[in-house]
Amino acid sequence: MELKEAKDKFIHTWGTLATQWGINRTMAQIHSLLLLAPKSMNADEIMSELQISRGNVNMNLRDLMDWGLIYKQLLPGERKEYFIAEKDIWKVAKQIAKERRRREIGPLIDAMQDLKDGIKPDTAEKEEFLKIVNDISTVSVFADNTLTSLLKADENWLVSSFIKVFNR
Amino acid sequence: MELKEAKDKFIHTWGTLATQWGINRTMAQIHSLLLLAPKSMNADEIMSELQISRGNVNMNLRDLMDWGLIYKQLLPGERKEYFIAEKDIWKVAKQIAKERRRREIGPLIDAMQDLKDGIKPDTAEKEEFLKIVNDISTVSVFADNTLTSLLKADENWLVSSFIKVFNR
DNA sequence: TATTTTTTTCAAAATATTTTGAAAATTCAA
DNA sequence: TTGAATTTTCAAAATATTTTGAAAAAAATA
């Protein structure tokens, strides 16, 4: 397997997997292209490399910046904007985890809180309902706190603390 | 807010959030309906409650069983199959985490391994490429192991071990 | 300021996913 | 067995999401 072939396979695989986890294919492909690129790239280069439209490239570059996975780079003497990916994979993993926590756990906590606030446990049925809502609330707050604690720590601490926990 | 209203809001919210995390709306709605139901329900009851087709109900009930979130219950004297949700929210959370680990992390580990196996580091460029592949491999194996260890433990151990880790 | 380059927006088109519903397969009782 | 009840399948329809590309906006230059 030659390098070009391997890189294409990497980009394709990353794009396919992404759809399994709620991220769109193009965003993942642009991300992996930049991850493998030795230099920063501009919109035109990404367009021609992945054969996609300018609008699509622009929209996904902005999303990737929102996710904190790529940075804009302004090169002196260049009008065009260049983009470069965060290459530290631990940071990438942390950013992804952080964003997914925000998107997936946050709204769940809020929704359960609204239900708790909006209903009084004045019948047995309502109590039963609130029991479930409370349980979900507890579990999601727990998951949120756990992830938050992990993400605050730096990566070395992260690794070593897990080794400590799971080796005892 | 009355009970019926709160339950509908719960089902609706669960369905909407699910789409954010790669689970389809109907599957989430059926799950929440069964989670809140005092008794097990059959396909016809689910159809009329959620106003969806028989095929859709059938397909999603099977998916929910695959996820280990609901169980089939055969009632004596009844021809129809009844379904009941796992009510222990810790178990539910564990099942969801387990399934997502399998779907999201597993394929990533396999893909990186294929790339590692398929390419020789005989040029500087290839070495650089393999560095990234290796990093992703390491992080995803780490995440996989961490989750696996957590999921093997029972929930009390889970809670207390996290408290230990994060309080020191 | 006017002109050119680059980025952004967004309605329409293309693509992907989900849902339907009727037919086929399966299960169960007599 | 047969026949009725129930579940499953899957092609077509409906819906949702993504992508395009041209026009508008913004930014840089002269």
Side-chain angles (χ1 to χ4, degrees):
Chain A
M1 185 158 45
E2 281 316 300
L3 188 57
K4 179 78 173 80
E5 191 190 344
K7 285 192 175 184
D8 285 349
K9 190 177 169 190
F10 183 99
I11 291 168
H12 177 262
T13 303
W14 200 253
T16 306
L17 289 181
T19 59
Q20 299 251 331
W21 13 295
I23 288 162
N24 99 7
R25 197 169 52 90
T26 307
M27 178 171 148
Q29 287 186 342
I30 294 175
H31 180 228
S32 52
L33 177 64
L34 290 175
L35 204 54
L36 299 182
K39 299 176 180 183
S40 56
M41 298 178 76
N42 64 39
D44 289 281
E45 290 166 346
I46 296 168
M47 280 170 69
S48 78
E49 186 71 37
L50 300 178
Q51 294 292 307
I52 53 181
S53 72
R54 183 177 302 284
N56 199 4
V57 168
N58 183 270
M59 168 169 290
N60 283 294
L61 283 173
R62 277 187 298 115
D63 286 350
L64 283 165
M65 284 191 287
D66 288 345
W67 276 72
L69 298 176
I70 66 170
Y71 311 112
K72 193 183 278 187
Q73 209 178 43
L74 294 173
L75 297 183
E78 279 280 3
R79 287 278 290 268
K80 289 182 179 158
E81 296 175 332
Y82 283 73
F83 299 89
I84 191 161
E86 171 59 60
K87 301 288 176 95
D88 180 335
I89 299 299
W90 281 99
K91 276 195 196 166
V92 172
K94 277 170 74 173
Q95 277 303 121
I96 291 172
K98 202 178 282 184
E99 190 66 17
R100 294 185 74 174
R101 171 174 59 80
R102 194 179 68 76
R103 290 172 179 235
E104 298 180 7
I105 307 182
L108 185 58
I109 292 173
D110 295 345
M112 293 304 111
Q113 193 58 53
D114 285 354
L115 288 171
K116 281 202 269 185
D117 293 343
I119 202 163
K120 297 267 174 302
D122 50 15
T123 68
E125 280 174 321
K126 285 187 186 175
E127 262 180 49
E128 211 169 324
F129 173 71
L130 280 173
K131 163 85 167 65
I132 296 172
V133 171
N134 263 305
D135 284 354
I136 294 172
S137 194
T138 303
V139 171
S140 45
V141 167
F142 169 72
D144 195 62
N145 288 342
T146 302
L147 262 174
T148 300
S149 301
L150 279 172
L151 294 171
K152 266 187 198 149
D154 76 79
E155 71 223 36
N156 290 326
W157 180 88
L158 180 66
V159 179
S160 65
S161 71
F162 268 105
I163 290 168
K164 275 179 209 154
V165 177
F166 295 114
N167 278 352
R168 62 177 163 207
Chain B
M1 185 158 44
E2 281 316 298
L3 189 57
K4 179 77 173 77
E5 192 191 341
K7 285 191 175 183
D8 285 349
K9 191 176 168 191
F10 183 100
I11 291 168
H12 177 261
T13 303
W14 200 253
T16 305
L17 290 181
T19 60
Q20 297 253 330
W21 11 295
I23 289 164
N24 97 8
R25 199 169 52 90
T26 306
M27 178 170 149
Q29 287 187 341
I30 295 175
H31 181 228
S32 51
L33 177 64
L34 289 175
L35 204 54
L36 299 182
K39 299 176 181 182
S40 57
M41 296 177 79
N42 63 40
D44 289 283
E45 290 166 346
I46 296 168
M47 283 169 69
S48 78
E49 186 71 38
L50 299 179
Q51 295 290 309
I52 52 180
S53 73
R54 184 177 301 286
N56 199 3
V57 168
N58 183 270
M59 168 168 290
N60 283 293
L61 283 173
R62 276 187 299 113
D63 286 350
L64 283 165
M65 284 191 287
D66 289 345
W67 277 71
L69 298 176
I70 65 171
Y71 311 112
K72 194 183 276 188
Q73 208 180 42
L74 293 173
L75 297 182
E78 280 278 6
R79 283 282 287 276
K80 286 180 180 158
E81 295 176 332
Y82 282 72
F83 299 89
I84 193 162
E86 170 60 60
K87 302 288 176 97
D88 181 335
I89 299 299
W90 282 99
K91 275 195 196 165
V92 172
K94 276 168 73 172
Q95 277 303 122
I96 292 172
K98 201 178 284 183
E99 190 67 18
R100 295 184 73 175
R101 172 175 58 81
R102 193 178 68 76
R103 291 170 178 236
E104 299 180 7
I105 307 181
L108 185 58
I109 292 174
D110 295 345
M112 292 306 111
Q113 192 57 53
D114 285 352
L115 287 171
K116 280 201 270 186
D117 294 342
I119 201 162
K120 298 266 174 301
D122 49 18
T123 69
E125 281 175 322
K126 285 187 185 176
E127 262 180 49
E128 211 168 325
F129 174 72
L130 280 173
K131 162 83 166 67
I132 296 173
V133 171
N134 263 304
D135 284 353
I136 294 172
S137 194
T138 303
V139 171
S140 45
V141 167
F142 169 71
D144 195 62
N145 289 342
T146 303
L147 261 173
T148 300
S149 302
L150 279 172
L151 294 171
K152 267 186 197 149
D154 74 80
E155 71 222 38
N156 289 326
W157 180 87
L158 180 65
V159 179
S160 65
S161 71
F162 267 104
I163 289 169
K164 276 179 211 152
V165 177
F166 294 114
N167 278 352
R168 63 179 163 204

